[in-house]
Amino acid sequence: MSTIKGLHHITAIAGDAQENLDFYVGTLGMRLVKRTVNQDAPDTYHLFYADRDGSPGIDLTFFPWPKLPARRRGWGVWDEVMLGVPKGSLEYWVDRMNAFGVSHSGIETRFGERVLPYEDPHGLRSALVECETYDAFTYRPWPDSPVPQEYQIHSLAGIRIFVRDEAATADFLARAFGFRFETAEQEHWKRYIVGGGKAGQRIELCVQPEIARGSWGTGAVHHVAWRAGDEAEQAELASAAASAGAQPTPVIDRFWFKSVYLQEPSGALNEIATDGPGFAVDEAPEALGERLVLPPKFEQHRDTIEGGLPPLSVSQALGR
Ligand code: ZN
């Protein structure tokens, strides 16, 4: 049986697009590797932040929808996004967040690792986690980042979720993706892992009977995408998910990768995404993210689409 390799990307809902860019590029030092539109709603941006190359496993992407109400935490919606940083780097990050006025709750220990929880400017619950990456994961530092290489975010580390029925979700994650229970601690949180359980190979589940159903809104995770090496592996994983009770969509060509979407038993949205072809398929690697890129089917509407989007400046985010 195939298992997922780890996280591929995480997509969340932001408020104002420039504020989102200022935070992820200017404060967190990630690279904008793709500036495009939501393929299901081309009047909104879809912004991708990652390492230098946009490697699968470090992409954090956003739909800026400033008019939505705020998200509500609860079961059925992915909760905290964890980003991996090198060991010993959290003191640097505390100083940086203080300098930029980011609301954080100080360094804590979870599952034996040092973690810095914070919220992004639009309420996305997040944490930096000192952890290691797995062997089949590639990370390339971004030389132009305002954050020195030795402190840069190197991966998506994991994701937290409240579920309604732990056994149902755990059984589904095992059968569809290959996750297994690892350990429980941290109040009600339990960690499930795939592969060696390194950065990107973790889900932390929590069951709280008093918690209500969550809802999407500004500051919510929209979906979590998992890595399938190629289309054959993706088909195998989608079929395992269907056997486990999900209803996977047909394969959708997202141009930079191919995607299948499905819900886990609480309703949270998952995607199985192929590694390739990657973000350099339509832009030179040194120019990633500089201009608005449209999938071919939208190219004929470029003027209308560009005219409807707010201006966005990486130089402004970098203060350069
Ligand atoms: Zn996606």
Side-chain angles (χ1 to χ4, degrees):
M1 169 194 161
S2 286
T3 64
I4 53 104
K5 292 189 172 61
L7 286 162
H8 183 289
H9 63 270
I10 294 176
T11 295
I13 303 170
D16 179 79
Q18 183 68 45
E19 287 172 14
N20 177 257
L21 181 75
D22 289 348
F23 183 73
Y24 285 95
V25 174
T27 305
L28 294 192
M30 299 177 82
R31 183 179 187 194
L32 179 70
V33 292
K34 196 61 68 181
R35 176 193 308 227
T36 184
V37 292
N38 181 334
Q39 295 183 26
D40 301 313
D43 57 342
T44 51
Y45 278 118
H46 191 182
L47 304 176
F48 292 67
Y49 304 101
D51 62 346
R52 188 193 72 186
D53 294 355
S55 307
I58 186 174
D59 302 326
L60 184 56
T61 92
F62 290 89
F63 301 133
W65 277 325
K67 291 187 182 130
L68 279 194
R71 53 104 176 107
R72 194 175 65 234
R73 293 181 80 192
W75 59 262
V77 180
W78 295 102
D79 199 65
E80 183 189 83
V81 172
M82 292 179 263
L83 304 174
V85 292
K87 292 205 168 145
S89 66
L90 284 186
E91 280 73 17
Y92 166 86
W93 282 106
V94 167
D95 289 347
R96 188 163 179 89
M97 289 196 181
N98 290 340
F100 281 84
V102 180
S103 92
H104 68 82
S105 50
I107 299 172
E108 57 183 67
T109 303
R110 297 180 186 169
F111 300 100
E113 290 172 334
R114 300 205 318 150
V115 177
L116 177 62
Y118 66 93
E119 281 195 10
D120 88 353
H122 302 129
L124 180 68
R125 295 179 63 85
S126 314
L128 298 180
V129 182
E130 290 187 355
C131 58
E132 290 173 3
T133 56
Y134 56 98
D135 288 346
F137 170 77
T138 315
Y139 158 71
R140 305 212 193 283
W142 179 35
D144 295 331
S145 172
V147 173
Q149 290 195 14
E150 65 265 38
Y151 304 123
Q152 284 180 25
I153 291 167
H154 60 45
S155 57
L156 300 173
I159 183 84
R160 287 191 149 185
I161 186 172
F162 292 104
V163 293
R164 189 166 50 163
D165 176 344
E166 183 187 342
T169 294
D171 178 63
F172 174 79
L173 293 173
R175 291 170 62 194
F177 299 151
F179 277 92
R180 62 191 187 275
F181 174 74
E182 187 199 42
T183 176
E185 62 168 297
Q186 275 290 318
E187 300 149 39
H188 307 288
W189 291 100
K190 295 184 181 176
R191 183 183 273 183
Y192 287 77
I193 62 169
V194 70
K198 294 194 172 172
Q201 300 178 317
R202 302 142 169 209
I203 294 180
E204 291 170 14
L205 290 187
C206 183
V207 180
Q208 282 189 357
E210 66 278 14
I211 204 165
R213 187 184 183 104
S215 64
W216 276 351
T218 304
V221 171
H222 186 272
H223 65 269
V224 168
W226 305 101
R227 285 181 72 192
D230 55 25
E231 288 171 59
E233 224 171 86
Q234 180 183 52
E236 207 181 309
L237 288 160
S239 137
S243 305
Q247 294 180 299
T249 63
V251 175
I252 299 173
D253 189 353
R254 293 304 189 191
F255 197 58
W256 305 290
F257 44 83
K258 296 213 161 94
S259 301
V260 168
Y261 298 85
L262 54 102
Q263 289 173 303
E264 56 77 42
S266 290
L269 188 59
N270 292 271
E271 173 181 346
I272 305 167
T274 55
D275 279 357
F279 295 123
V281 72
D282 55 3
E283 281 184 296
E286 63 278 8
L288 289 179
E290 287 177 8
R291 59 185 283 273
L292 183 73
V293 170
L294 297 173
K297 64 175 174 175
F298 292 123
E299 201 50 64
Q300 56 176 321
H301 306 299
R302 174 174 281 274
D303 289 351
T304 317
I305 289 172
E306 272 188 328
L309 292 167
L312 203 54
S313 163
V314 173
S315 321
Q316 181 183 320
L318 289 169
R320 290 174 188 163

